[in-house]
Amino acid sequence: MKTTVEFEKYDFKQAIIRHLHSTLGTDENKANNHAWWKATCAAINEHVLEGLRKTQKKHYINDTRAVHYFSAEFLMGRLLSNNMQNFGVFDDVRDALKALGVELSDIMEEEPDMALGNGGLGRLAACYIDSLATLNFPAIGYGIHYENGLFRQEIRNGKQIERPDAWRDYGNPWEICRPESIQEISLYGYVETKYGENGRIQKEWHPGSIVKGLPWDIPVVGYEGGSVNVLRLWQSQSSDHFNWDVFNSGGYVDAQRENVQAETISKVLYPNDDTEAGKELRLIQQYFFCACSLKDIIRRYKRAHGDDWSRFTEQVVIQLNDTHPAIAIPELMRILVDRAELDWEKAWDICTHTFAYTNHTLLPEALEKWPARMIQKILPRHLEIIYEINHRFMQEVEAKWPGNNDIKAKLSIIEESSEKMVRMGNLSVIGSFAVNGVAELHSKLVKENLFPEFNELYPGRLMNVTNGITPRRWLKTCNPALSELVSDKIGKDWPLYLDKLQGLAKYAEQKIFQKQFMQIKHKNKVALAKEIQALTGIKLDTNAIFDIQIKRLHEYKRQHLNLLHIMALYRRLLENPDYDMHPRVFIFAAKAAPGYKLAKDIILAINKVAETINSDPRVNKKLKVVFMPNYRVSQAEKLIPAADVSEQISTAGKEASGTGNMKLALNGAVTIGTLDGANVEIAEEVGDENIFIFGLTIDDVSTLWDKGYNPYDIYDKNKEVKAVLDWLETDYFTPGEPGALLSIKHSLLEGGDPYLVLADFESYSSAQKEVDLAYRDKQKWAKMAILNTAKVGKFTSDRSIKDYVDRIWKLEPCITGHD
Ligand code: 26Q
């Protein structure tokens, strides 16, 4: 196979030493792990940059159509091991370092995670750019170069404390600063209406402030000779010339203040994974990266096509990762109408053939809305454009449903509440040629519940692309032992053709293979147990079931359902020391949005229950609870290979897809889950006998709400539920502090239990009993675990990307190869 980069005669040992000397100014005797890490990155980077140059040259010469993935988040994690694996040089580098007396696994721990995202949506973007590079599709990721990524979580007295994440403090070896591609963008000010010679109305935006966007490129290395694409992240800076006047008139301090304001834009990632109501800075962030990225795209387009806009939509497709970049739609209209002086109709035609939008949530509180007044202040011209888009759209609605004002009010981009709001979801559907949900069930609900009228008005626009994960990071790199076993059985090319994992199914009942598979799982559990002991002091029995729930903390994800069940097990063990259960370790890891009180209380409750149980000699041989602080990509890579059970227990209809569910199943964990998000498709793939499905379905959920749900009915009827909820109210888990965990009980009773935790408790509890029984049958469990790995090939992000390409992007691969 032709590869982008040649390694045959490359001497890593020599290169690493060379970089230790000439890049880092140190030597083998003085170097600490950090220096070794940097020198190793520098050696790898020689190849990264060579691949990047070749890929860019090829794209330039071929002038190919490309996808531009706009996302406020890219949760990249660490890149050294990933880049080495994708180049296929991991073992060579490990051996080279070994010869120098250095352990690769130690120096990899030096790398800070690039945590420029909150959770699923940000990690999805990272998996997608991996697949795009691997499959040689011309693509560029566009986002924000946050100075501080998602906060670091510390746990003190059981409580979450947020600390800043200074991921670049000692430099980031992977990023390339591109001052030659700086862009300037405008904010604030007012709009002047002018009349051109031909009587055409011209709008001129006189900005109140100008900000510079400085791009940093992160090379994205495709697997085994794929392309090296780029992720381009914008850092905000004050614009020199705009401050010049202030500066000259002696306003040094004022000028510095403007600097601070401009530089604030890319300072910090918002740590919310739903919405942050009405925060001006968040809107500015969104506009900032969209405007910079559009200018960048248009600069590149014009280099090839000048002022001829007729081929723009052939060359450019822009994917909006949720509504966060939706402001790009009126921004492109502004450029086309005000700057390029195209007719509105022509401009709108270009726009609606350029954008496609991915929806990631149905939760009404998570659908983005911005006060019109705020847009007016920050982006006055964009508000006018949004009104014009809406005005014309309302005429379409009138033509389709004459006189129907209810539908108009519902579909309007403008919500006419006391404070006028701009609905970014509606704007995105109207301004895009394709809208997709992220799992079959979710896309169905998008069509039938969220946007049914849009689906009627624009048949075919709403569709599904089921999420996926990159098997390079989420199996090959994070679980090398299992990867090797798999390669021995089915050959080495499964990371590119994940459906080949099906080939393992025929060994699912073979004793030797079961033993090999489960031995690897056990080794991974031992490694995790060691990590957990080092981090938390908790000692684990690695023969226990490792039951793992790792994801953002949210009521709808129901970590508290898991916790109530743990308390119930604890209670059963106290009441009956011989209560028959296989030893189990429940492991949680989760960050809560800093302002989400109940989520933080659930973290506190998990930690307090964990402390109590772990130090109770009556039960702690059979039951342990661990809360791993500071959940992040690199931690997920250690947890996932060691999981026996994967907890995917959201209220049906609430989790759009989930992607952790796929990662865990791929690594041979068996899911206990509801029929929600991609769990439905995982169940279809692995078969009902290889997954533990429980709980209300979406239909059950709506029936239950329709007939009236009263959580007190369950509290009064189910003794165990009553007992554990009442237990929370005492000071049993929080000595001297009764009531510290009361908010959870309160939300489940007086609060009306909005996520039906109590309604699903009994069903969850019996499913957990089945898990316990199944695990005790070693062969049965091994078979289930193997079949999970064997049957989840569908969930490779390569398949997702091919779906996007076929259904939406219509790209051709551009093979890089040699010069
Ligand atoms: C918006 C406005 C202001 C501040 C923050 C936000 C914001 C930030 C992040 C809103 C949402 C997010 C992230 C959402 C997210 O991660 N959604 C998840 O997306 C995954 C990938 O499709 C799905 O698998 C999950 O089901 C979905 O919850």
Side-chain angles (χ1 to χ4, degrees):
M1 186 212 271
K2 275 191 171 184
T3 57
T4 317
V5 177
E6 212 47 78
F7 287 101
E8 253 156 40
K9 289 178 281 320
Y10 195 78
D11 183 342
F12 278 105
K13 194 172 149 202
Q14 192 210 316
I16 292 167
I17 290 181
R18 175 161 44 84
H19 281 290
L20 215 46
H21 295 179
S22 60
T23 310
L24 288 140
T26 183
D27 69 31
E28 302 90 298
N29 304 315
K30 279 198 293 185
N32 60 9
N33 276 346
H34 193 78
W36 282 112
W37 168 65
K38 276 210 159 163
T40 308
C41 291
I44 298 298
N45 239 338
E46 290 184 11
H47 307 284
V48 172
L49 296 178
E50 187 190 348
L52 179 67
R53 184 180 54 74
K54 287 182 181 169
T55 303
Q56 297 208 322
K57 188 171 168 193
K58 189 84 179 180
H59 290 174
Y60 181 75
I61 291 169
N62 288 16
D63 188 26
T64 41
R65 173 175 172 83
V67 63
H68 305 79
Y69 199 88
F70 279 29
S71 178
E73 308 194 359
F74 286 90
L75 200 42
M76 301 292 285
R78 291 174 175 161
L79 296 180
L80 175 59
S81 55
N82 191 250
N83 289 349
M84 290 188 302
Q85 285 285 359
N86 282 9
F87 276 140
V89 298
F90 189 94
D91 292 353
D92 297 343
V93 175
R94 186 197 51 210
D95 297 347
L97 283 165
K98 190 146 231 147
L100 293 163
V102 178
E103 204 51 61
L104 174 58
S105 56
D106 292 341
I107 71 163
M108 286 186 335
E109 288 300 312
E110 290 295 313
E111 180 166 355
D113 279 39
M114 260 183 99
L116 310 185
N118 274 288
L121 164 150
R123 183 56 230 177
L124 187 78
C127 284
Y128 281 179
I129 57 178
D130 174 278
S131 282
L132 281 162
T134 296
L135 299 173
N136 291 297
F137 287 117
I140 173 160
Y142 277 112
I144 300 173
H145 189 265
Y146 298 107
E147 192 175 320
N148 288 97
L150 186 61
F151 65 86
R152 190 160 51 76
Q153 179 193 55
E154 287 178 7
I155 301 293
R156 279 195 222 142
N157 301 323
K159 294 197 167 102
Q160 167 175 301
I161 311 280
E162 301 91 25
R163 311 294 324 168
D165 161 59
W167 63 285
R168 295 170 73 245
D169 265 8
Y170 305 106
N172 173 355
W174 305 114
E175 57 189 15
I176 309 158
C177 187
R178 302 279 195 204
E180 69 275 21
S181 299
I182 282 176
Q183 298 293 353
E184 289 200 327
I185 64 119
S186 306
L187 293 167
Y188 303 104
Y190 64 97
V191 180
E192 184 190 359
T193 306
K194 289 178 171 172
Y195 295 89
E197 300 141 21
N198 47 3
R200 188 179 193 274
I201 293 179
Q202 265 305 123
K203 295 284 188 166
E204 193 172 337
W205 176 18
H206 298 276
S209 161
I210 289 176
V211 177
K212 250 180 4 191
L214 169 64
W216 295 83
D217 286 353
I218 320 288
V220 180
V221 177
Y223 186 66
E224 278 191 349
S227 309
V228 179
N229 284 344
V230 278
L231 169 59
R232 175 159 279 195
L233 301 177
W234 299 97
Q235 179 190 1
S236 64
Q237 287 189 336
S238 67
S239 151
D240 325 312
H241 76 75
F242 200 73
N243 284 324
W244 204 234
D245 293 343
V246 197
F247 201 81
N248 280 344
S249 55
Y252 176 77
V253 172
D254 289 342
Q256 286 309 323
R257 193 178 309 122
E258 284 235 359
N259 285 355
V260 171
Q261 270 182 10
E263 281 157 24
T264 303
I265 297 173
S266 59
K267 266 257 168 347
V268 53
L269 165 77
Y270 274 89
N272 297 35
D273 66 347
D274 35 42
T275 41
E276 170 85 58
K279 279 285 191 307
E280 211 172 291
L281 181 62
R282 170 79 185 183
L283 179 62
I284 295 175
Q285 284 186 338
Q286 296 181 347
Y287 177 67
F288 165 73
F289 94 88
C290 290
C292 289
S293 307
L294 278 172
K295 283 204 161 148
D296 202 52
I297 292 168
I298 291 168
R299 174 187 54 82
R300 210 172 295 121
Y301 175 78
K302 284 196 164 180
R303 207 164 59 188
H305 305 278
D307 287 334
D308 173 13
W309 287 93
S310 68
R311 296 195 48 206
F312 189 74
T313 62
E314 283 168 37
Q315 297 296 96
V316 176
V317 54
I318 297 175
Q319 189 67 33
L320 304 173
N321 197 21
D322 215 300
T323 54
H324 315 155
I327 196 72
I329 296 170
E331 171 67 0
L332 182 58
M333 282 302 285
R334 185 186 69 82
I335 294 166
L336 296 174
V337 173
D338 295 357
R339 291 308 177 100
E341 302 194 12
L342 264 53
D343 292 342
W344 181 278
E345 290 76 13
K346 182 68 214 150
W348 185 242
D349 188 63
I350 291 176
C351 259
T352 50
H353 288 86
T354 299
F355 292 105
Y357 151 59
T358 306
N359 172 284
H360 297 265
T361 187
L362 302 163
L363 303 185
E365 68 273 20
L367 294 173
E368 269 193 303
K369 283 185 222 167
W370 292 104
R373 247 181 337 106
M374 190 186 293
I375 300 184
Q376 165 75 51
K377 175 176 157 201
I378 299 167
L379 302 167
R381 178 59 182 138
H382 297 75
L383 188 65
E384 287 185 357
I385 290 170
I386 290 168
Y387 280 135
E388 182 65 25
I389 294 172
N390 197 46
H391 174 71
R392 290 166 187 253
F393 173 65
M394 285 293 110
Q395 291 175 342
E396 259 182 82
V397 176
E398 172 60 26
K400 172 100 184 169
W401 294 283
N404 190 335
N405 289 332
D406 289 347
I407 290 200
K408 279 204 200 92
K410 192 172 170 205
L411 300 193
S412 173
I413 300 170
I414 310 299
E415 183 184 274
E416 302 283 351
S417 33
S418 56
E419 158 109 80
K420 266 195 197 181
M421 303 291 268
V422 177
R423 295 167 173 151
M424 303 311 267
N426 293 24
L427 173 63
S428 302
V429 177
I430 296 163
S432 301
F433 67 88
V435 176
N436 74 285
V438 289
E440 291 287 353
L441 176 68
H442 169 242
S443 298
K444 177 173 149 349
L445 296 173
V446 168
K447 275 197 209 173
E448 292 174 5
N449 300 355
L450 185 64
F451 298 135
E453 298 83 3
F454 284 118
N455 193 39
E456 259 190 78
L457 191 58
Y458 306 123
R461 185 175 297 189
L462 274 56
M463 57 183 92
N464 174 250
V465 178
T466 298
N467 281 171
I469 57 168
T470 171
R472 274 75 67 179
R473 181 178 293 263
W474 297 112
L475 182 54
K476 181 135 202 276
T477 307
C478 77
N479 198 344
L482 183 55
S483 298
E484 222 165 280
L485 176 64
V486 170
S487 294
D488 283 349
K489 286 289 165 197
I490 63 167
K492 285 183 182 306
D493 60 354
W494 55 267
L496 286 171
Y497 309 98
L498 205 62
D499 278 332
K500 292 203 178 182
L501 290 179
Q502 297 265 17
L504 295 174
K506 65 170 182 281
Y507 306 107
E509 288 181 270
Q510 191 194 78
K511 285 248 171 63
I512 321 159
F513 187 74
Q514 289 189 343
K515 199 168 158 212
Q516 290 171 320
F517 193 96
M518 293 314 287
Q519 259 172 4
I520 289 167
K521 181 63 80 184
H522 188 255
K523 272 195 186 155
N524 293 337
K525 287 164 73 173
V526 171
L528 178 63
K530 200 171 149 206
E531 180 88 14
I532 287 176
Q533 192 171 5
L535 216 65
T536 66
I538 302 168
K539 220 175 136 41
L540 300 179
D541 167 10
T542 53
N543 291 314
I545 303 172
F546 277 26
D547 179 313
I548 299 194
Q549 186 171 21
I550 43 176
K551 49 187 80 253
R552 283 298 286 255
L553 213 133
H554 247 287
E555 286 165 274
Y556 83 78
K557 295 178 190 281
R558 300 199 295 192
Q559 280 94 350
H560 48 337
L561 173 57
N562 189 344
L563 184 67
L564 292 184
H565 171 252
I566 292 168
M567 292 168 67
L569 286 179
Y570 182 26
R571 201 169 154 272
R572 289 175 207 168
L573 284 166
L574 291 180
E575 285 193 339
N576 171 15
D578 296 323
Y579 177 73
D580 190 22
M581 65 176 272
H582 191 88
R584 182 129 30 151
V585 178
F586 290 94
I587 302 171
F588 294 85
K591 288 178 179 174
Y596 189 170
K597 171 76 168 51
L598 185 56
K600 289 180 127 177
D601 287 349
I602 294 171
I603 290 181
L604 176 64
I606 294 169
N607 277 296
K608 289 298 167 185
V609 169
E611 271 174 34
T612 311
I613 290 178
N614 297 343
S615 60
D616 188 337
R618 294 171 297 176
V619 303
N620 64 13
K621 296 267 170 314
K622 281 190 175 166
L623 191 57
K624 283 264 167 81
V625 183
V626 177
F627 185 93
M628 289 273 271
N630 200 29
Y631 183 53
R632 61 196 186 281
V633 171
S634 61
Q635 190 183 76
E637 288 165 7
K638 295 169 182 156
L639 286 159
I640 288 168
D644 293 308
V645 175
S646 161
E647 298 270 351
Q648 308 299 337
I649 60 178
S650 53
T651 317
K654 299 293 180 189
E655 189 72 89
S657 163
T659 45
N661 48 3
M662 302 167 187
K663 295 163 196 168
L664 283 152
L666 180 61
N667 282 272
V670 181
T671 303
I672 178 165
T674 48
L675 283 176
D676 198 18
N679 296 352
V680 177
E681 288 158 81
I682 292 176
E684 266 167 33
E685 296 296 306
V686 304
D688 292 344
E689 33 347 316
N690 298 309
I691 188 166
F692 297 91
I693 294 294
F694 73 94
L696 301 166
T697 62
I698 42 167
D699 292 338
D700 299 337
V701 167
S702 50
T703 314
L704 184 54
W705 287 124
D706 287 348
K707 74 167 200 239
Y709 169 59
N710 183 358
Y712 278 102
D713 293 347
I714 296 165
Y715 177 77
D716 292 335
K717 218 170 48 208
N718 184 323
K719 284 207 178 65
E720 199 166 47
V721 167
K722 180 167 192 316
V724 295
L725 286 179
D726 292 347
W727 213 359
L728 278 176
E729 203 168 344
T730 68
D731 75 344
Y732 188 88
F733 299 100
T734 54
E737 274 188 273
L741 310 178
L742 196 58
S743 62
I744 298 170
K745 178 179 178 187
H746 185 270
S747 85
L748 297 177
L749 293 173
E750 292 94 274
D753 188 11
Y755 298 98
L756 303 170
V757 171
L758 302 190
D760 267 343
F761 181 85
E762 210 173 288
S763 167
Y764 179 58
S765 173
S766 16
Q768 285 288 22
K769 273 190 192 145
E770 283 179 48
V771 169
D772 175 90
L773 289 175
Y775 192 85
R776 289 194 245 176
D777 181 342
K778 286 257 169 331
Q779 287 183 27
K780 176 176 174 177
W781 189 271
K783 180 180 169 195
M784 287 176 83
I786 293 164
L787 288 175
N788 268 269
T789 299
K791 297 199 168 193
V792 292
K794 169 177 174 183
F795 303 103
T796 170
S797 45
D798 296 348
R799 190 269 314 145
S800 308
I801 287 301
K802 287 178 197 154
D803 286 350
Y804 275 102
V805 166
D806 293 344
R807 298 173 198 168
I808 302 174
W809 300 337
K810 315 282 180 195
L811 304 173
E812 295 299 330
C814 181
I815 313 284
T816 308
H818 294 284
D819 279 309

